C-alpha cells in the first residue's frame, strides 16, 4: 500500500474516531475563520492533516489546549528570504516559531547574482524546511536594462521549473515598462505563464496602465502605500498584500481598508525583513497584532492572514482549522495580542528537534564580489555645473524623491554638502561583467562622517556605497572585496564595524541569533556616525532599485524611474 | 506570432487605451463584487477578456449601457445537464441567455447508461458550447452496489481525463459508505485525485462522518437542506452550494446563512432543473432573485453567485468585472430583480447567431432501453404479510421517509391502497445486464388512476414505473421500449401522454422550447390522474437513488439507505 493510501485510510479511521488520532489538541478554543466564531473542542490530526474538529478525540500524543486558542498557520504572501540576511534554513528557524507556516518567497536577490544556481539552491532548501516555503520564479532577472546583474533568466530558463512542487508561478513582475512597451523578452514570460499564477509589483500604478498590467493576468500587488491606491487596485480585482518589512511599512496606511467584505482580497507580507526585527517585533504575527491595534476587525485580520492569503495562491489545502486541511496551526495565549505559544507545521510540533532533523543543502555563492580594488579618486563626481539631481530618501519607504539641488562645485566636480544633508552615493558593478560605476548624490541619511558600503543593492546587488569622504568610501568598498560581501562602516581610514554576508554577498552563513546581534551592533555604529534612520542598510539597499519611483542609481548611473531612463549626474 | 501572444499584445494596447477596444459597454453602471459598490463607467473588452474598467474607452463595437447595470456572469456550481432533458447544445441555448456563463456539470446520468462514451460526448459538447461548460468526472458509476447500471467507471478509466481542459476534478462523491468502509475501488478514486478537486455530496452528513469525509479532501456539498446542517458544514470548512432545482428546493431554508462573512464559502447550483422551469422561472438568475427576496444582502448574493463559486473550483479567471478576467458579463435592467437584458460570454455577445455558429457533436445514446416486453403479472408484489416498508415521498425533496404500513393482503400478495395514498413502484433493469426487477410501494404521489413510467431513474436510469393498475404499468413500460426511453402515462389500456427521450433514455433530441411545451402537456396529464406534485417526473426519478436517505428502490429491490442494504418488500 502506498504511503498516500495509508495516510488516506488512517485519516478516515482517525476522523471517524474509530482509531486514536496521531495528535490531538484537547479542549482548546479556536478561531473559526469561516464563521468568525470562537469554537471549543478538540482538533484531531493524522499525519500532516487535520481530520477532526467539533468532536471529541483521543490522541497518541495530546496537547492540553485549555489555556490556548488556536488559529490557522500564517501565510507570508511575498518575501525575499535573502532580506532576512540568513540562509533559508535559518529563516525557517526564525520565522516558523512566530507562526508563519507558509512563506511565498521570490529568490530574485540570489538569482540576480547567481542565476539558476540561486534558484536551484532555494528549491532544494524549500524541500527541506519545516515550514512550507514556496519559491516563485523570479521574473525580472535583471529587473531592468538600466543596470548590470550577475545573471539573466529568460522565459526559456524559467519554464522547466513551472511544475516543480514548490513553485506556484512567476514572482513579482517588476518590469511594467517592459509590458507597456511590449518588449519581446517580457511578453515571452507573460505568454509562457498565461493562465498560471503571476505575482504583481505595481507601486503607484493606476488608471489605464494598471488596467493593461492586470490584463496580462497579473494578480496581486504588495507595493501599495496609500489607501486610495489600495482601493483602486481592489476595485480592479487585484489582491492587495499589506506589507510591513524592515524598511517599508505600509500597515498603518492600509489597515483602514480591512473589513469583512475586503478581507478575501487581502493578504499580509513582509517583503524584506531582517532577523533582528523578526526577533524583536515578530513576523506575520507582528502584522496581525498591528492591524488589530490599528482598529481592523480581529476575525477579518486572521482571515486575511490565513485563508485569503492561501487562496490567493490557489493553495486550497490550508488556511482553515478544518478536516482535510494541512495541520498548520498556531496556538496563541491571546487573539488580540497574537501571542504565539506553540506552532504545529504540517502536523509536526515545531521545536529544536524538528529543526535539527532537517536535511538542508550546503550553502552556495561564496566569493561573489568580483571587483578590483578601488581608489579615492574613483569617487569623484564630474558634472557640468553645481545644480543637478539628488535622490531624496523618504524614511521607511522604498519610494524616493527626485530632487534638483545646487551643491558646492569645484574643478568640474560636484561635491557633498553636509549642511543640506547631501552626501555621495556610488554603485560598483561587482559581477565581473562591465566594471561600470554609477555616481550621484543622496539626501536624507544624515551621515555626518565616514562611509557605509553594502553588497546588497536591489535588485542587481552591485556594491553600493554612501559617504562624505572619498577615502573612507574606497576603504569600505575594498573591505567588501575581502569579505566576499557584507556591510562595512569606515571612518578616518579605519573599519568601524562590519558584517560578512558571504553567500552571494547577500546572506550570512551564521545563525539568525548571531546575525541579529551583529545588526544591533552595526545599527549603533551607524547611529554614532549621525544617521538616525531605523533601517539604514535596507534603506541604502533600495537606492539602486530602478523599478520604484522616482530617482534611483545603478552601476550605469542615475535613473529617472518615471521616464525609465538614465539621467546625467 | 501565436494567437495567444497576439491576444496579450492587443490586450495591452487596448487596456492602455492606445488602441480602440474590440467591444466596449459604454457609460454603464456595474456592481463591483469586491467592494460591493455600484461603479460607473466603461467596460473595455479585448477578445475573450476584460481589459479596462473605471476609465473611458472607445470600441470597435459599443453597447450603450446607460440604462443597464452589469454584473459578472453566473456560475452554476453543480448540475446534471441531462436533467434539463435536452442535449448540451440546447441546455447552452436555454441557460446562457439567463446569465449562466459557466456551468459545472456532472455527466453521471449519461455515464451510468453509456460509460466513457457518455463522458466523451459531454467533453466534446463542452468544447463547442457558447457558455463555458465544465465537465466533472463522474466518481460513482455505478453509484452503489445496490443497483445495476449500464456501465462502470473505475479510477483507471477516469485518470486519463484528469488534465482535459474542460475537466476540473472528480464529480460529486456520493459513495460515502464506500469511504467509511474503505472499499478499495472507492479509495482508488480518492487516491488518484488526491490534491485535486473533488466535489462532495453529503446529505444530512454530520459529526465524525462528516469529518472523515472531509479528511479525504472533498471540498463542497450541494445536498444541504437545513440551516443547522449548513452551519456545521461551513464550520468544518466545506463550501455549501445552495440548490434550487425543479424537485429539490433548498433556497428558502438556506437563504438565512448568506452574509458578508459566509459569502466566500457559498455558491448556487441547480443540480436538476428542467427547461420549463428554466423558461418560466430562470436558472441561476432565479436563485439570485429568490435569495434577495428572502432577505439576503444583495451584494453578498451576487458575490456568491459569481466570484465565490468560481474560486471554489480554482477558476481564477472569472467572477469579477475587472481587467484580466474573462469577459463573462450579464447586463441587467435591475439588480434586485436580476432582470437579464443581455449576456456576454467570453467576450461574445450572446444571440442566435452565436448559437448557430457552434460546431456541436452528433448526439449519441439511441436505443439504450434494452428490455424485453413485460406483462401485468410482472407487477405482483409477493410478501409474507400485510405490513411492510413503504417509501414516503416528501414534496420538493430528494429525501424520502422509511414508512412501515399495513396494506391490503391477498393470496401472498401485498396490494395498493388508494385510501392511504399508497401505490406500486417497480424498477426494471434496462441495460441488458441482469434483467432484474425491484418491486415495492410508495406514498405521496396521489395518483388515483393509471401508471407513469420513466427511463430516468437516478442514477442507474433503469425504467421506473409507478401506478395502481398492473396492466397500465405494463403498458407504460412497453411503450418505453418502443420509444427508446422517455416519460409515458397510461390509463385504462391507453397511452395518455408521452415524451420520447431517445438520447440514452435521458434527453430529447428536440429543441428546449419544444421540450418545455411537452413537459407542460405531461404535467397537465399527470394532474388529471390526481397527482398534485409540482415535479412528478423528477420526484419519481429520485425514487431509485440509493445514496439519499431513507428508503429507496432499485432494480435489486428496496434499499434502506441508512443501513445501506437491501430490505425485503
Amino acid at each position: 500500500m502506498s504511503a498516500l493510501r495509508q495516510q488516506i485510510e488512517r485519516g478516515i479511521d482517525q476522523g471517524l474516531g474509530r482509531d486514536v488520532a496521531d495528535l490531538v489538541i484537547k479542549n482548546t478554543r479556536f478561531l473559526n475563520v469561516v464563521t468568525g466564531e470562537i469554537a471549543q473542542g478538540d482538533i484531531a490530526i493524522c499525519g500532516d492533516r487535520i481530520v477532526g474538529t467539533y468532536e471529541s478525540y483521543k490522541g497518541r500524543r495530546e496537547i492540553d489546549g485549555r489555556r490556548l486558542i488556536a488559529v490557522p498557520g500564517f501565510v507570508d504572501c511575498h518575501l525575499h528570504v535573502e532580506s532576512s540576511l540568513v540562509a533559508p534554513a535559518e529563516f525557517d528557524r526564525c520565522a516558523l516559531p512566530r507562526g508563519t507556516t507558509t512563506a511565498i518567497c521570490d529568490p530574485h536577490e540570489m538569482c540576480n547574482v547567481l542565476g539558476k544556481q540561486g534558484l536551484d539552491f532555494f528549491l532544494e532548501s524549500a524541500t527541506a524546511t519545516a515550514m512550507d516555503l514556496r519559491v516563485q520564479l523570479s521574473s525580472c532577472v535583471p529587473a531592468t536594462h538600466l543596470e548590470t546583474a550577475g545573471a539573466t533568466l529568460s522565459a526559456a530558463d524559467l519554464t522547466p521549473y513551472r511544475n516543480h512542487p514548490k513553485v506556484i508561478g512567476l514572482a513579482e513582475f517588476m518590469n511594467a515598462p517592459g509590458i507597456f512597451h511590449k518588449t519581446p523578452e517580457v511578453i515571452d514570460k507573460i505568454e509562457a505563464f498565461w493562465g498560471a499564477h503571476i505575482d504583481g509589483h505595481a507601486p503607484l500604478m493606476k488608471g489605464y496602465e494598471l488596467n493593461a498590467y492586470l490584463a496580462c493576468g497579473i494578480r496581486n500587488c504588495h507595493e501599495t502605500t496609500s489607501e486610495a491606491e489600495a482601493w483602486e487596485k481592489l476595485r480592479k480585482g487585484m489582491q492587495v498584500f499589506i506589507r510591513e518589512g524592515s524598511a517599508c511599512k505600509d500597515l498603518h496606511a492600509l489597515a483602514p481598508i480591512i473589513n469583512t467584505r475586503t478581507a478575501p482580497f487581502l493578504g499580509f507580507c513582509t517583503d524584506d525583513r531582517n532577523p533582528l526585527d523578526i526577533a524583536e517585533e515578530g513576523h506575520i504575527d507582528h502584522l496581525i497584532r498591528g492591524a488589530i491595534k490599528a482598529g481592523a476587525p480581529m476575525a477579518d485580520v486572521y482571515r486575511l492572514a490565513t485563508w485569503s492569503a492561501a487562496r490567493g495562491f490557489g493553495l486550497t489545502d490550508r488556511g482553515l482549522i478544518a478536516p482535510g486541511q494541512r495541520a498548520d496551526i498556531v496556538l496563541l495565549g491571546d487573539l488580540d495580542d497574537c501571542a504565539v505559544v506553540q506552532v504545529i507545521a504540517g502536523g509536526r510540533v515545531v521545536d529544536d528537534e524538528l529543526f535539527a532533523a532537517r536535511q538542508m543543502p550546503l550553502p552556495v555563492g561564496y566569493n561573489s564580489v568580483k571587483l578590483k580594488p578601488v581608489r579615492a579618486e574613483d569617487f569623484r563626481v564630474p558634472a557640468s555645473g553645481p545644480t543637478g539631481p539628488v535622490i531624496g530618501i523618504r524614511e521607511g519607504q522604498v519610494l524616493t524623491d527626485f530632487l534638483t539641488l545646487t551643491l558646492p562645485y569645484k574643478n568640474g566636480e560636484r561635491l557633498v554638502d553636509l549642511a543640506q544633508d547631501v552626501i555621495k552615493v556610488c554603485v560598483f558593478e561587482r559581477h565581473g561583467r562591465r566594471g561600470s560605476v554609477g555616481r550621484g548624490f543622496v539626501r536624507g541619511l544624515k551621515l555626518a562622517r565616514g562611509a557605509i558600503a553594502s553588497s546588497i543593492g536591489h535588485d542587481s546587488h552591485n556594491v553600493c556605497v554612501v559617504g562624505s569622504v572619498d577615502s573612507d568610501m574606497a576603504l569600505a568598498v575594498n573591505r567588501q572585496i575581502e569579505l566576499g560581501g557584507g556591510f562595512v562602516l569606515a571612518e578616518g581610514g579605519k573599519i568601524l564595524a562590519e558584517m560578512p554576508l558571504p553567500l552571494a554577498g547577500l546572506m550570512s552563513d551564521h545563525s539568525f541569533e548571531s546575525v541579529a546581534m551583529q545588526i544591533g551592533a552595526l545599527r549603533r555604529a551607524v547611529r554614532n556616525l549621525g544617521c538616525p534612520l531605523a533601517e539604514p542598510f535596507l534603506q541604502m539597499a533600495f537606492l539602486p532599485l530602478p523599478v520604484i519611483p522616482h530617482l534611483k542609481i545603478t552601476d550605469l548611473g542615475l535613473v529617472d524611474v518615471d521616464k525609465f531612463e538614465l539621467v546625467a549626474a
Side-chain angles (χ1 to χ4, degrees), chain A:
Chain A
M1 196 184 283
S2 74
L4 170 58
R5 196 176 182 101
Q6 230 169 345
Q7 158 78 7
I8 293 168
E9 298 204 355
R10 290 175 67 244
I12 293 168
D13 288 332
Q14 296 185 17
L16 284 171
R18 198 149 59 184
D19 270 4
V20 174
D22 291 345
L23 174 64
V24 173
I25 307 169
K26 283 294 292 182
N27 303 311
T28 191
R29 288 171 302 148
F30 69 93
L31 176 67
N32 190 311
V33 170
V34 178
T35 63
E37 302 160 319
I38 307 286
Q40 173 82 44
D42 298 346
I43 301 170
I45 295 164
C46 169
D48 66 348
R49 299 271 156 171
I50 298 167
V51 294
T53 53
Y54 289 92
E55 306 300 335
S56 179
Y57 285 96
K58 281 188 181 151
R60 227 177 306 280
R61 178 175 177 180
E62 294 188 352
I63 293 173
D64 180 359
R66 270 174 300 177
R67 287 161 195 281
L68 301 172
I69 179 150
V71 292
F74 311 141
V75 179
D76 188 338
C77 293
H78 174 75
L79 85 158
H80 307 285
V81 169
E82 298 95 319
S83 296
S84 71
L85 305 176
V86 290
E90 284 299 301
F91 170 74
D92 187 28
R93 214 168 61 75
C94 172
L96 176 55
R98 308 300 301 231
T100 303
T101 51
T102 301
I104 319 280
C105 83
D106 169 9
H108 81 191
E109 319 305 352
M110 204 167 201
C111 289
N112 265 288
V113 179
L114 302 176
K116 286 202 276 184
Q117 191 196 2
L119 187 53
D120 290 332
F121 171 67
F122 262 90
L123 286 169
E124 281 170 46
S125 298
T127 307
T129 49
M131 69 163 51
D132 189 7
L133 183 64
R134 297 297 178 117
V135 182
Q136 300 291 63
L137 301 173
S138 305
S139 66
C140 299
V141 175
T144 70
H145 63 286
L146 300 168
E147 61 197 308
T148 310
T152 299
L153 290 179
S154 67
D157 291 326
L158 298 178
T159 40
Y161 292 95
R162 200 178 143 154
N163 295 319
H164 188 288
K166 285 292 177 179
V167 169
I168 294 171
L170 219 45
E172 53 175 333
F173 213 97
M174 293 184 285
N175 197 348
I179 287 178
F180 305 141
H181 297 135
K182 300 186 287 185
T183 309
E185 308 79 56
V186 171
I187 304 300
D188 281 349
K189 288 173 185 166
I190 298 289
E191 189 180 3
F193 285 81
W194 190 251
H197 185 97
I198 309 181
D199 284 327
H201 165 109
L204 303 183
M205 200 187 289
K206 61 184 182 179
Y208 290 99
E209 289 198 342
L210 184 58
N211 286 354
Y213 187 75
L214 288 165
C216 289
I218 295 167
R219 299 193 184 162
N220 56 51
C221 179
H222 58 270
E223 290 286 350
T224 307
T225 45
S226 76
E227 223 183 306
E229 191 182 350
W231 281 115
E232 179 174 352
K233 286 171 179 168
L234 287 172
R235 287 189 180 109
K236 292 182 173 176
M238 193 176 214
Q239 188 163 12
V240 172
F241 298 146
I242 300 173
R243 171 180 57 185
E244 190 81 353
S246 284
C248 305
K249 296 176 188 297
D250 306 317
L251 179 61
H252 188 74
L254 300 183
I257 67 171
I258 303 172
N259 61 48
T260 306
R261 195 173 295 286
T262 56
F265 301 90
L266 301 175
F268 283 140
C269 72
T270 59
D271 204 355
D272 298 289
R273 196 160 176 83
N274 72 45
L276 184 60
D277 289 351
I278 301 175
E280 286 181 353
E281 299 179 336
H283 199 244
I284 296 297
D285 57 316
H286 173 62
L287 280 95
I288 292 171
R289 214 162 19 243
I292 294 171
K293 200 167 286 174
M298 190 265 290
D300 299 323
V301 171
Y302 278 100
R303 177 183 280 191
L304 84 88
T306 59
W307 180 85
S308 310
R311 292 304 181 278
F313 291 94
L315 298 172
T316 55
D317 64 347
R318 68 197 72 189
L320 300 175
I321 294 185
Q325 294 274 293
R326 256 178 77 95
D328 287 344
I329 298 171
V330 182
L331 295 166
L332 303 174
D334 179 272
L335 273 177
D336 284 337
D337 279 355
C338 193
V340 180
V341 175
Q342 193 160 27
V343 177
I344 293 160
R348 298 176 300 177
V349 174
V350 173
D351 54 18
D352 289 346
E353 210 178 311
L354 178 64
F355 290 120
R358 300 167 306 164
Q359 299 285 327
M360 300 303 305
L362 286 178
V364 297
Y366 287 95
N367 305 313
S368 71
V369 179
K370 295 166 190 160
L371 185 56
K372 282 187 197 133
V374 297
R375 296 163 307 164
E377 45 269 43
D378 292 327
F379 294 84
R380 283 185 195 148
V381 186
S384 55
T387 304
V390 172
I391 301 172
I393 284 182
R394 298 186 189 176
E395 179 162 8
Q397 285 192 36
V398 184
L399 289 170
T400 58
D401 293 311
F402 189 131
L403 307 174
T404 304
L405 298 178
T406 302
L407 301 178
Y409 184 72
K410 208 168 154 184
N411 302 331
E413 227 183 284
R414 211 176 280 143
L415 303 173
V416 301
D417 185 0
L418 292 178
Q420 286 193 75
D421 183 24
V422 174
I423 60 172
K424 285 184 184 173
V425 53
C426 297
V427 175
F428 289 77
E429 191 275 315
R430 60 109 162 167
H431 304 293
R433 298 197 146 192
R434 281 193 175 112
S436 40
V437 188
R439 297 172 181 89
F441 291 90
V442 60
R443 188 173 84 177
L445 284 165
K446 297 202 171 58
L447 195 72
R449 307 180 300 282
I452 310 174
S454 167
S455 55
I456 300 180
H458 296 284
D459 284 332
S460 289
H461 302 297
N462 289 303
V463 171
C464 179
V465 54
V466 295
S468 50
V469 180
D470 292 355
S471 58
D472 286 341
M473 292 176 86
L475 178 61
V477 171
N478 289 334
R479 181 60 184 159
Q480 280 286 341
I481 302 171
E482 291 169 16
L483 293 177
F487 297 131
V488 177
L489 262 72
E491 193 215 348
K494 274 189 243 166
I495 302 296
L496 295 185
E498 64 184 26
M499 175 157 107
L501 298 170
L503 309 184
L506 299 170
M507 293 175 278
S508 170
D509 49 7
H510 290 166
S511 71
F512 79 85
E513 292 92 343
S514 118
V515 170
M517 274 180 54
Q518 287 179 65
I519 293 175
L522 278 169
R523 279 188 186 170
R524 283 189 296 277
V526 174
R527 223 163 284 143
N528 285 340
L529 292 180
C531 171
L533 295 183
E535 269 298 333
F537 297 103
L538 263 176
Q539 205 106 40
M540 245 181 90
F542 287 120
L543 294 180
L545 184 62
V547 292
I548 305 272
H550 296 279
L551 183 64
K552 299 281 179 169
I553 184 166
T554 75
D555 62 299
L556 301 181
L558 287 167
V559 177
D560 179 336
V561 180
D562 301 309
K563 293 186 179 154
F564 211 53
E565 60 187 30
L566 294 165
V567 287

